[in-house]
Amino acid sequence: MNKVKITVSPAHTVGQTDERIYGSFIEHIGRAVYGGIYEPEHPTSDEYGFRGDVAGLIKELNVPLIRYPGGNFVSGYNWEDGIGPKDKRPRRVDLAWKTTDTNQCGTDDFSAYCDRIGAAPLMTVNLGTAGINEAKNIVEYCNLLGGTDYSERRRANGFEKPHAIKTWCLGNEMDGVWQIGHKEAYEYGRLAAEASKAMKWVDPSIKTVICGSSAPDLPTFPKWEETVLDCAYDHVDYISLHRYYNNNNKDTLSFVASPVDAEAYINTVISVCDYMKARKRSPKTMMLSFDEWNVWKHTCDLPREPWAVAPPILEEYYSTEDALVVGGILITLLRHCDRVKIACLAQLVNVIAPIMTENGGGAWKQTIFYPFSDASNNGRGLVYDIRTESPVYHCSYGEVPYVDAAIVKNEDGRTVIFAVNRSLDEEADLECNLSQVAGDAFLAVHTTLTSDSPYDHNSMNEPNKVAPHLCEAPKNEKGTLLCKLPPFSWNMITVQ
């Protein structure tokens, strides 16, 4: 049995979480929109064509922010194609995913949907094939009350009140040679700076996110960050990070250590941001938007028949080991909540997603649904700067602790411990003195997600094969919590 000790003190904190670290992402790709959130013929769909069963599951995830409409898709997208009467909207080829987009769901439809499910849009503007004009025009359309061409067009389309979208991404992965309208760092940095200026002149209340590197293993990282921030530091509010992980090498212990890589990535970007702050002698601290992250095994190719409408693309089946990676990244985000203010699990439905659907049929939860739901619903508040003493193991990321953890004090007074035990075969004997943060007379509830095999996964036929269950209640010995973390498990311990 691995002995693990966590030290926590009210005097040592990271900071308050921004609820937007529990954001997600919907792109016009595969069945994410059509057949995912939007399916007018589905028996649960509302009067606007959005699936009620999917909306219910999204509400369970308690997602406060959804990035839209891309992703690679946005770099060839004309947002004006997706507004106005639906029978007048053009069908367009999407070069990013080699499909046809019907434009039946667009800016107004999605913004109103977000209102109904209690989320806010994180809108992305096209800086690939479009530019400053299109960027300022969509802000005018969405955010001005009226009296101008674009705001009056919104009102004529049936949306009297502004959508009031407060956060905007300045393009997507513009360093990637796969991106439509790919740009070099200085070229993009200048365009992003000018676009952000124009957008903020239309609505000074908005915040903007500049594209960082698409991945830390690209040869341009982190020089890209330095160059684009040199161009735009004074005009933007966040810089983006994107990162996906997989176990294509069939090395489970290295795979579940992937959050170590995410942590190094975050720390490097912070270092570049702080260097640019010092170099520019700026009073502003640049914050981070980790607006694409997940497990992506790259098991699904583009559709064999090009220009299909909403074909199945990137529909991963997630396993227990995937859930541990997602849980570990959530712990990493909490540990950096002082700088990571936005994060988006990519994506939300069907496409590398926690929610899966059948067209015309049911919807079900993938394994990664559960750690995200646990953290989103129970991990908002004050994050403690804890010290975790754990045995280590060696893998492709070097020396990695078997157990990683985060502790959050919620506004309702609950103290919540999130912990991952990466050991395949040994439980962890956890000890944590909580007397200073939870008192001596606490009660605790422990839920865990684990399975017989790291590769077990859920399906429509077995939707609950891998799901959390209650463990034996942790012991309280004079304010010290004692409990056992099962082998290869995601854990949430709630202390009242």
Side-chain angles (χ1 to χ4, degrees):
M1 180 183 295
N2 289 321
K3 300 285 187 179
V4 178
K5 182 178 180 180
I6 296 176
T7 303
V8 56
S9 166
H12 299 101
T13 61
V14 179
Q16 291 284 338
T17 59
D18 187 315
E19 68 171 10
R20 296 174 300 170
I21 66 170
Y22 302 116
S24 193
F25 178 30
I26 281 283
E27 181 174 355
H28 283 247
I29 170 180
R31 297 192 310 120
V33 175
Y34 305 112
I37 60 171
Y38 182 84
E39 191 178 349
E41 303 304 318
H42 194 271
T44 70
S45 287
D46 61 20
E47 60 186 299
Y48 308 103
F50 289 87
R51 287 182 60 151
D53 57 347
V54 172
L57 291 174
I58 294 173
K59 289 177 182 178
E60 280 189 48
L61 288 175
N62 199 11
V63 171
L65 183 85
I66 306 176
R67 185 167 172 250
Y68 175 86
N72 295 348
F73 170 83
V74 78
S75 292
Y77 179 55
N78 179 1
W79 68 271
E80 293 188 50
D81 289 342
I83 60 174
K86 294 198 176 187
D87 60 353
K88 305 288 187 190
R89 297 183 189 180
R91 294 163 66 96
R92 301 286 192 196
V93 295
D94 166 32
L95 299 181
W97 304 110
K98 303 298 185 290
T99 58
T100 296
D101 193 274
T102 64
N103 280 302
Q104 292 302 287
C105 181
T107 299
D108 292 323
D109 311 291
F110 185 77
S111 297
Y113 175 68
C114 284
D115 283 343
R116 294 194 297 274
I117 64 172
L122 171 59
M123 195 67 74
T124 308
V125 299
N126 178 356
L127 291 186
T129 59
I132 298 169
N133 255 343
E134 291 83 355
K136 73 175 182 60
N137 290 346
I138 189 173
V139 176
E140 177 186 331
Y141 181 89
C142 290
N143 286 13
L144 293 198
L145 182 62
T148 67
D149 177 57
Y150 278 102
S151 60
E152 289 298 329
R153 285 175 63 180
R154 184 199 69 245
R155 296 175 69 189
N157 288 334
F159 296 87
E160 184 71 20
K161 295 182 179 179
H163 297 311
I165 298 171
K166 293 304 180 185
T167 316
W168 299 75
C169 293
L170 301 168
N172 175 75
E173 294 185 354
M174 299 309 301
D175 62 327
V177 294
W178 57 86
Q179 202 67 214
I180 308 166
H182 158 70
K183 292 172 175 58
E184 298 301 322
Y186 179 77
E187 177 187 18
Y188 167 71
R190 289 288 301 121
L191 174 60
E194 295 304 314
S196 184
K197 283 164 60 178
M199 294 163 71
K200 290 181 175 184
W201 285 340
V202 175
D203 182 355
S205 71
I206 67 170
K207 304 293 184 183
T208 55
V209 183
I210 198 167
C211 291
S213 295
S214 304
D217 47 13
L218 290 178
T220 53
F221 177 77
K223 183 65 177 177
W224 171 277
E225 278 74 6
E226 179 187 356
T227 302
V228 300
L229 288 176
D230 193 27
C231 295
Y233 194 94
D234 294 334
H235 306 295
V236 301
D237 305 281
Y238 308 90
I239 187 166
S240 74
L241 299 81
H242 290 182
R243 192 59 164 156
Y244 296 96
Y245 296 97
N246 64 68
N247 192 17
N248 291 347
N249 294 328
K250 305 300 181 185
D251 180 357
T252 292
L253 284 176
S254 291
F255 177 49
V256 294
S258 298
V260 171
D261 175 84
E263 186 137 26
Y265 183 22
I266 291 169
N267 286 334
T268 301
V269 175
I270 289 172
S271 296
V272 176
C273 291
D274 290 348
Y275 162 70
M276 293 307 302
K277 175 182 180 177
R279 211 183 91 180
K280 290 180 172 291
R281 295 167 172 79
S282 173
K284 178 174 70 177
T285 298
M286 187 64 60
M287 297 300 172
L288 277 55
S289 174
F290 210 140
D291 47 45
E292 284 190 35
W293 69 271
N294 203 347
V295 174
W296 179 5
K297 304 172 189 177
H298 299 268
T299 56
C300 305
D301 297 324
L302 294 179
R304 294 180 181 178
E305 297 296 329
W307 318 127
V309 175
I313 302 175
L314 309 182
E315 298 196 359
E316 306 280 11
Y317 276 63
Y318 286 116
S319 65
T320 303
E321 65 175 7
D322 300 324
L324 265 62
V325 172
V326 166
I329 295 175
L330 288 162
I331 287 171
T332 301
L333 294 174
L334 286 169
R335 193 153 48 231
H336 292 279
C337 70
D338 57 330
R339 296 299 291 273
V340 180
K341 298 300 181 181
I342 300 170
C344 300
L345 179 72
Q347 294 188 16
L348 186 52
V349 185
N350 287 331
V351 177
I352 52 173
I355 299 169
M356 292 294 290
T357 74
E358 287 186 349
N359 289 354
W364 48 277
K365 303 172 183 177
Q366 297 243 53
T367 60
I368 66 171
F369 184 101
Y370 296 107
F372 190 92
S373 176
D374 282 348
S376 178
N377 285 289
N378 301 282
R380 304 186 187 201
L382 180 67
V383 180
Y384 291 111
D385 185 10
I386 65 173
R387 296 294 177 266
T388 303
E389 301 171 40
S390 166
V392 299
Y393 66 95
H394 295 272
C395 66
S396 61
Y397 291 109
E399 196 172 79
V400 176
Y402 277 112
V403 172
D404 195 15
I407 301 182
V408 182
K409 184 79 165 185
N410 285 261
E411 292 181 359
D412 61 10
R414 291 177 301 135
T415 301
V416 181
I417 303 172
F418 302 106
V420 171
N421 181 8
R422 298 176 174 126
S423 175
L424 288 165
D425 49 21
E426 288 194 58
E427 65 182 3
D429 198 353
L430 175 64
E431 174 187 335
C432 181
N433 189 315
L434 294 170
S435 59
Q436 294 186 69
V437 298
D440 291 334
F442 65 76
L443 297 174
V445 176
H446 178 193
T447 61
T448 191
L449 182 142
T450 188
S451 66
D452 294 334
S453 166
Y455 312 113
D456 285 343
H457 60 80
N458 297 334
S459 65
M460 180 61 77
N461 293 329
E462 293 184 284
N464 300 309
K465 185 172 183 178
V466 182
H469 63 269
L470 275 172
C471 294
E472 179 183 348
K475 296 179 181 178
N476 176 0
E477 294 190 358
K478 299 179 181 179
T480 295
L481 178 140
L482 302 172
C483 75
K484 300 182 186 303
L485 309 179
F488 210 70
S489 61
W490 160 261
N491 302 269
M492 180 174 70
I493 301 162
T494 305
V495 177
Q496 293 280 128

